[in-house]
Amino acid sequence: MEDCLFCKIAAGQIPSSKVYEDEEFLAFRDIAPKAPVHILIIPKKHLADLASCTEEDLTMLGKLNLLANKIAEAEGILNSGFRLLTNCRADSGQEVAHLHYHLIGGHFLGDFCEKQ
Ligand code: AMP
């Protein structure tokens, strides 16, 4: 998708601090981390947000959750715990309109409703 920041990162046109990549997903460090570990996990397929997903995306969404476990383990936060969240549309404060999950951890995270 033209003019999508995360599509450009997925295509390697914009550099990122990559922590994982396969045919379907890319994970990279957030440029403005809110915690010691703050990684964004994206499907390479352009989807604007979670609300744009359909049954066609069920398998991808499931795989993404298990990938979060794998990355959390590699980052050493599987046992201490982490948060996996996605912001969806205006009231969430979503800034980038390409589906992405924030994987956050490395210290106690506190208030659930704070914008990530
Ligand atoms: P959201 O507000 O859920 O849309 O989150 C967008 C996230 O993307 C924010 O946490 C930003 O810090 C992060 N971000 C924006 N540009 C980049 C970039 N070039 N590389 C890594 N993370 C980015």
Side-chain angles (χ1 to χ4, degrees):
M1 176 117 175
E2 278 178 38
D3 291 332
C4 169
L5 174 63
F6 287 176
C7 280
K8 287 180 179 167
I9 287 177
Q13 293 163 2
I14 291 176
S16 68
S17 179
K18 185 165 62 178
V19 298
Y20 177 87
E21 181 169 20
D22 64 23
E23 281 186 1
E24 203 173 1
F25 299 104
L26 180 70
F28 52 97
R29 297 194 191 280
D30 195 291
I31 205 166
K34 301 279 178 26
V37 176
H38 188 167
I39 289 166
L40 301 175
I41 306 174
I42 66 168
K44 291 184 175 176
K45 171 184 173 180
H46 182 84
L47 288 155
D49 50 41
L50 181 59
S52 303
C53 293
T54 66
E55 299 239 339
E56 191 182 304
D57 304 305
L58 267 177
T59 303
M60 179 277 291
L61 290 166
K63 282 187 195 170
L64 193 151
N65 276 262
L66 293 184
L67 175 57
N69 282 345
K70 187 171 166 179
I71 295 170
E73 184 170 32
E75 293 289 318
I77 59 168
L78 188 67
N79 292 329
S80 54
F82 59 90
R83 186 168 292 155
L84 182 67
L85 69 88
T86 188
N87 291 314
C88 182
R89 301 189 173 171
D91 276 359
S92 74
Q94 182 182 3
E95 290 166 18
V96 180
H98 181 123
L99 180 65
H100 56 281
Y101 282 74
H102 298 253
L103 172 63
I104 302 164
H107 66 197
F108 184 69
L109 294 168
D111 184 0
F112 186 74
C113 288
E114 192 179 328
K115 167 81 167 61
Q116 303 301 328

